Amino acid sequence: MAQQHLDPTDPRPGHVGPGPTGDALAGYLRTQATEFLRALRLHRETGAGAHGTEGSAEAARALRRSARRVSASLHTFQSLLDTDWCEAMRPELAWVSGTLAMEHAYTARLERLLTALHRLSGSTAFPARTSAGVGAGAPPSKAGTPTQERGNLTVGAAKAGALLDRQLTLARTRAHSTALQALGSSRFHAIADKVAVLASEVPLTGTATGTDLRPLATAAEDRLRDAVTTLPLVTAGSPYNAAALIHGLSPDTVPHPQDAPWHQVRLLLRLHRYAREAVSGPKGNAVVDLRLLSAGQALNRHRDASEAAAAAAQAARTPRIAPATAYALGVLHADQRHEVEAARFAFQQAWQKETVGAS
Amino acid sequence: MAQQHLDPTDPRPGHVGPGPTGDALAGYLRTQATEFLRALRLHRETGAGAHGTEGSAEAARALRRSARRVSASLHTFQSLLDTDWCEAMRPELAWVSGTLAMEHAYTARLERLLTALHRLSGSTAFPARTSAGVGAGAPPSKAGTPTQERGNLTVGAAKAGALLDRQLTLARTRAHSTALQALGSSRFHAIADKVAVLASEVPLTGTATGTDLRPLATAAEDRLRDAVTTLPLVTAGSPYNAAALIHGLSPDTVPHPQDAPWHQVRLLLRLHRYAREAVSGPKGNAVVDLRLLSAGQALNRHRDASEAAAAAAQAARTPRIAPATAYALGVLHADQRHEVEAARFAFQQAWQKETVGAS
């Protein structure tokens, strides 16, 4: 199963000759399915116990990575694949990657917020558990004495950190259990069986092998470009526009309505990137790939900061917290909303380059 | 006393011929002294009662404006003026402008913070008392029911606004009384007498009428340029550097040590600007003046945001406030620290232009 299924004759954009067809898609899907199965085996070998390990966290990331690519290909190139199979497969893959993403998301969110609290306190020292805990699936028992490790924080910042630590560690522990249950469920086993079949047998339609992939990939790119035109890029490109903190104190802060179109573009950019991979192979046109990557990284940062800001706002609603704690959470919330604004600026800069490069 | 004392033959920079000498300085000082006396008469006519009026606030601004210019000229061109007179006069003028500045500063700070709270709450409506109260020396009795006027704020934002309103209105009322007492004091009458003498009789040294003003003005500009080189302009010119919020939660937030060199540059830029006025007349070289003005405005905004952020932090230390109030004050503090960062960016942009234009 570890053998490479990518067709070595896979045509690249700009090459003379006929474009890639359903055969190239089949090769891409087989590669991703193989990768999924390899990651699953690795996850089982590295121990999927109650606490997890660094290896199992890495394996879970690889599982999500391949699940996202298969799911995206099913979306973009749906017309080349068996309809019933696609419609049955896509929600299952979304469930797998969504369920596996939660533990990592809570870990990263806690790290982001504790790092910000230290920055805001002018502390150069990092909290020991933050750097150790990230991506390691660290056991919840480690979260015992966070305030001791933050001796150089103010009382408010230390209490805010301890509160966020408690809340997000609890959420992460629950997400870890949920992921383990999911991986052991009959629903997951059924998906793994289907992916194992996909690794050798891609359900292409009768005409797929003669159909050019590129118009479908271009359609994915068009959906991205259309969505980008709805973004307030002129505002985003003007530094310190203070747009991300508008409504920062309004009751409908979580989730922030103004972030939704950016989240949507993030998903469409990913679909576009995976469609490019399927069409041109993962190493095709590295220069534009870097631009897409930096635009995508800006949107990831946007999403992470948006969710971290929401977590700080949520923590501030905890009953009976001290005013100093609430104050620190307010500063932290605003700081993360400015990170949201900074990420939009970074996206605007990257996208501008991308457009110039493409013209 | 209302006649213009500015010498119409006052040479401008770039003009051929000898430079402006002590005579031009004397003309400038007589004009400013005359302006001071005019403003003082206006202030008495418009009523310097317990509550103040729009006219008296305007007159107080004019008083401060001329006091600052006389004081700055005494500093920059000290070697052309009687030493004992200068040393006696400067602290007195600083006391006048400082004392008169406080009421306006509290009014503007409250307006800035309430406007920010409304922006952060996504409210488009302005609080009625804010726009009416600015610069109007509004009576403290108007500050009665601020929460009613903020119906569209969240509870936390409304409570934070009411708390800031109470604290800053009290401070403003005290500053108003202090200013009135100062204007009625024998100390102030002695200063007004000296300014009345200055309006006709400037105590130049024996050699002043033959001494070129320009080297002294250039020395003031050099002191400004030297101070600017100590600013972290590379960081400031990179948007979203997040530098202004470092230490945002540390105990030594008020006053913020990192702001001090910017405040110092603000004062030196003002000295430079007034020295240019004395040398070239207020309408000399309007293009570069506009650049200096925008750099100066950025530094004013920096100072105002810095002090507003400190006021929000200070209000959050009020005992027994609700967590929602403290949270809103934390968001507000961080918002104003980002205003500080934005103002540094604006200064960097203006200064860059200024340097390019001067070369």
Side-chain angles (χ1 to χ4, degrees):
Chain A
M1 271 196 294
Q3 71 189 102
Q4 282 295 320
H5 288 273
L6 258 188
D7 184 353
T9 64
D10 189 21
R12 306 291 159 94
H15 281 213
V16 180
T21 65
D23 288 334
L25 174 63
Y28 183 73
L29 283 172
R30 281 194 299 266
T31 302
Q32 296 305 326
T34 303
E35 180 59 26
F36 183 97
L37 297 169
R38 193 193 62 77
L40 183 58
R41 199 174 55 232
L42 186 67
H43 193 268
R44 282 175 181 151
E45 282 167 4
T46 53
H51 291 167
T53 65
E54 182 126 15
S56 72
E58 180 49 50
R61 260 200 291 277
L63 265 177
R64 279 160 43 215
R65 205 154 46 212
S66 48
R68 282 199 309 262
R69 279 168 171 76
V70 173
S71 178
S73 302
L74 269 51
H75 180 81
T76 304
F77 304 109
Q78 193 166 359
S79 60
L80 304 188
L81 295 158
D82 181 83
T83 307
D84 291 347
W85 179 82
C86 268
E87 283 179 4
M89 198 70 174
R90 282 193 59 216
E92 297 307 284
L93 289 168
W95 173 72
V96 168
S97 58
T99 306
L100 292 181
M102 293 314 290
E103 182 183 2
H104 174 72
Y106 287 121
T107 305
R109 198 168 304 158
L110 179 58
E111 189 207 6
R112 169 176 270 274
L113 288 165
L114 294 183
T115 302
L117 275 176
H118 273 266
R119 173 168 45 79
L120 295 169
S121 302
S123 157
T124 49
F126 255 53
R129 70 175 302 281
T130 300
S131 47
V134 174
S141 59
K142 271 195 188 170
T145 54
T147 44
Q148 275 188 321
E149 292 160 5
R150 292 192 202 93
N152 43 8
L153 294 189
T154 58
V155 174
K159 281 189 170 180
L163 178 62
L164 290 165
D165 198 330
R166 257 195 323 276
Q167 295 184 342
L168 290 173
T169 301
L170 179 64
R172 185 180 65 174
T173 305
R174 285 185 181 148
H176 185 74
S177 304
T178 303
L180 284 187
Q181 278 169 19
L183 288 172
S185 69
S186 57
R187 182 179 180 183
F188 181 77
H189 285 294
I191 297 167
D193 288 347
K194 282 188 173 181
V195 173
V197 173
L198 182 65
S200 54
E201 200 59 44
V202 176
L204 293 178
T205 61
T207 56
T209 52
T211 306
D212 193 338
L213 293 185
R214 289 175 301 189
L216 295 168
T218 302
E221 184 170 1
D222 289 346
R223 284 190 289 274
L224 168 64
R225 293 192 181 281
D226 286 352
V228 171
T229 62
T230 69
L231 295 178
L233 284 190
V234 173
T235 298
S238 159
Y240 300 107
N241 54 70
L245 250 177
I246 289 177
H247 301 274
L249 283 173
S250 83
D252 48 72
T253 302
V254 186
H256 217 308
Q258 63 166 257
D259 299 351
W262 298 85
H263 295 333
Q264 177 65 12
V265 167
R266 181 179 159 272
L267 297 178
L268 291 172
L269 192 139
R270 211 158 69 177
L271 286 173
H272 166 51
R273 193 153 63 85
Y274 297 160
R276 284 174 53 86
E277 277 183 19
V279 167
S280 59
K283 283 173 190 159
N285 206 338
V287 175
V288 179
D289 258 6
L290 277 177
R291 282 171 181 153
L292 275 185
L293 272 177
S294 71
Q297 277 164 357
L299 293 172
N300 287 346
R301 183 178 160 207
H302 180 274
R303 192 262 325 258
D304 292 346
S306 166
E307 294 185 346
Q314 190 59 42
R317 294 195 195 97
T318 309
R320 288 179 299 283
I321 57 172
T325 312
Y327 176 78
L329 290 169
V331 172
L332 188 58
H333 172 77
D335 174 68
Q336 291 300 304
R337 290 305 303 171
H338 275 102
E339 271 282 297
V340 165
E341 198 179 296
R344 290 180 190 169
F345 177 72
F347 174 80
Q348 189 272 345
Q349 300 278 302
W351 185 258
Q352 205 172 31
K353 274 186 199 160
E354 203 262 327
T355 306
V356 170
S359 67
Chain B
M1 271 197 292
Q3 70 187 101
Q4 283 295 320
H5 287 273
L6 257 189
D7 183 355
T9 63
D10 190 17
R12 306 292 160 92
H15 279 213
V16 180
T21 65
D23 288 334
L25 173 64
Y28 183 73
L29 282 171
R30 281 194 300 265
T31 303
Q32 296 305 326
T34 304
E35 179 59 26
F36 183 98
L37 297 168
R38 192 194 61 77
L40 183 57
R41 198 173 57 234
L42 184 69
H43 192 267
R44 282 175 181 150
E45 281 167 3
T46 53
H51 290 169
T53 65
E54 184 126 15
S56 72
E58 180 49 51
R61 260 199 292 277
L63 265 177
R64 280 160 42 215
R65 206 154 43 212
S66 48
R68 281 200 308 263
R69 279 166 170 76
V70 173
S71 178
S73 302
L74 269 50
H75 180 81
T76 304
F77 304 109
Q78 192 166 359
S79 61
L80 304 189
L81 295 158
D82 181 84
T83 307
D84 291 346
W85 178 83
C86 269
E87 281 179 5
M89 197 68 172
R90 283 194 60 217
E92 296 306 283
L93 290 169
W95 172 72
V96 169
S97 57
T99 305
L100 293 181
M102 294 314 291
E103 182 183 3
H104 173 72
Y106 287 121
T107 305
R109 198 168 306 159
L110 180 58
E111 189 208 6
R112 169 177 269 275
L113 288 166
L114 294 183
T115 302
L117 275 176
H118 274 265
R119 174 168 46 78
L120 295 171
S121 302
S123 157
T124 49
F126 255 53
R129 71 175 300 279
T130 298
S131 46
V134 173
S141 59
K142 272 196 190 170
T145 55
T147 44
Q148 277 187 320
E149 292 161 7
R150 293 192 200 96
N152 43 9
L153 294 189
T154 58
V155 174
K159 282 188 167 179
L163 179 61
L164 289 166
D165 198 330
R166 255 194 327 274
Q167 295 185 342
L168 290 173
T169 301
L170 179 64
R172 185 181 65 175
T173 305
R174 285 185 180 149
H176 185 74
S177 305
T178 304
L180 284 187
Q181 278 169 20
L183 288 172
S185 67
S186 57
R187 182 178 180 183
F188 181 78
H189 285 294
I191 298 168
D193 288 347
K194 283 188 172 180
V195 174
V197 173
L198 182 65
S200 54
E201 201 57 45
V202 176
L204 293 178
T205 61
T207 56
T209 51
T211 306
D212 193 338
L213 292 186
R214 290 176 300 187
L216 295 169
T218 301
E221 183 170 2
D222 289 346
R223 284 190 289 273
L224 168 65
R225 293 193 181 280
D226 287 351
V228 171
T229 61
T230 70
L231 296 178
L233 284 190
V234 173
T235 298
S238 160
Y240 299 108
N241 54 71
L245 249 177
I246 289 180
H247 301 273
L249 283 173
S250 81
D252 48 72
T253 303
V254 187
H256 217 307
Q258 62 167 258
D259 298 351
W262 299 86
H263 295 333
Q264 177 65 10
V265 167
R266 181 179 159 273
L267 297 178
L268 290 172
L269 192 139
R270 208 157 71 177
L271 286 173
H272 167 51
R273 192 153 64 85
Y274 296 160
R276 284 175 53 86
E277 279 184 19
V279 167
S280 60
K283 282 173 192 161
N285 204 340
V287 175
V288 180
D289 259 7
L290 277 178
R291 284 173 181 152
L292 275 185
L293 273 177
S294 70
Q297 277 163 356
L299 293 172
N300 288 346
R301 184 178 158 209
H302 180 274
R303 193 262 324 258
D304 292 347
S306 166
E307 292 184 347
Q314 190 60 41
R317 293 195 195 96
T318 309
R320 288 178 299 282
I321 57 172
T325 312
Y327 176 79
L329 289 168
V331 172
L332 187 57
H333 172 77
D335 175 69
Q336 291 300 304
R337 290 305 304 172
H338 275 102
E339 272 282 297
V340 166
E341 198 179 298
R344 291 179 190 170
F345 177 73
F347 173 81
Q348 189 272 342
Q349 300 277 304
W351 185 258
Q352 205 173 32
K353 273 186 200 161
E354 203 263 326
T355 306
V356 172
S359 67

